Amino acid sequence: LFPSKDRWLYRLLSMRCHVRGKKMRWSGLSILVILESSLRAWYWDVVLLYRRALLQLIFVFVQPGTLQQVLFAGANALFLALHAFVRPYQSLHANITEALSYILLLVIGILNL
């Protein structure tokens, strides 16, 4: 994440900015801010942590099979509905991206049944 002339991504970005005639300004945490965006719901990081914990609990304590897959699909559907209701990010693109990832997880879970 932090600039280093040894990293290929930094070299590519700096070369691309120099070609366009822009001076490259780099702050080490700017990529994290872009990826996470600004949260509208201050508690959303906790919700994501609980989602991961719930999926891990299902994986650990439920025997592999249909019940486990149904619980995975149900949990993903629950968190998709919660995400659609809360819309936790200020950025529309971040909300759409996370919703698409939940939809993809839900479709894969349903196909596994």
Side-chain angles (χ1 to χ4, degrees):
L1 292 176
F2 297 99
S4 170
K5 294 183 183 195
D6 297 333
R7 297 183 184 192
W8 67 270
L9 181 62
Y10 180 76
R11 288 193 309 246
L12 177 70
L13 288 174
S14 62
M15 192 170 41
R16 188 171 182 186
C17 287
H18 289 299
V19 168
R20 291 183 179 177
K22 298 178 188 175
K23 184 177 179 182
M24 185 171 169
R25 292 176 33 201
W26 184 279
S27 64
L29 296 178
S30 63
I31 295 204
L32 289 177
V33 172
I34 290 170
L35 291 176
E36 187 175 272
S37 187
S38 297
L39 287 173
R40 181 181 300 155
W42 58 270
Y43 53 85
W44 195 251
D45 283 332
V46 176
V47 171
L48 293 177
L49 178 72
Y50 284 150
R51 179 186 144 263
R52 289 183 206 109
L54 179 63
L55 292 176
Q56 289 295 322
L57 287 172
I58 292 170
F59 180 75
V60 169
F61 292 112
V62 179
Q63 293 294 323
T66 305
L67 177 62
Q68 188 184 51
Q69 295 304 317
V70 167
L71 290 174
F72 279 142
N76 285 324
L78 172 76
F79 284 105
L80 172 62
L82 185 63
H83 175 79
F85 179 73
V86 174
R87 289 187 310 246
Y89 300 106
Q90 291 177 0
S91 167
L92 176 66
H93 296 294
N95 282 322
I96 290 173
T97 302
E98 189 165 335
L100 286 175
S101 69
Y102 284 137
I103 291 169
L104 183 63
L105 285 171
L106 184 59
V107 167
I108 290 170
I110 291 171
L111 290 176
N112 278 334
L113 291 174

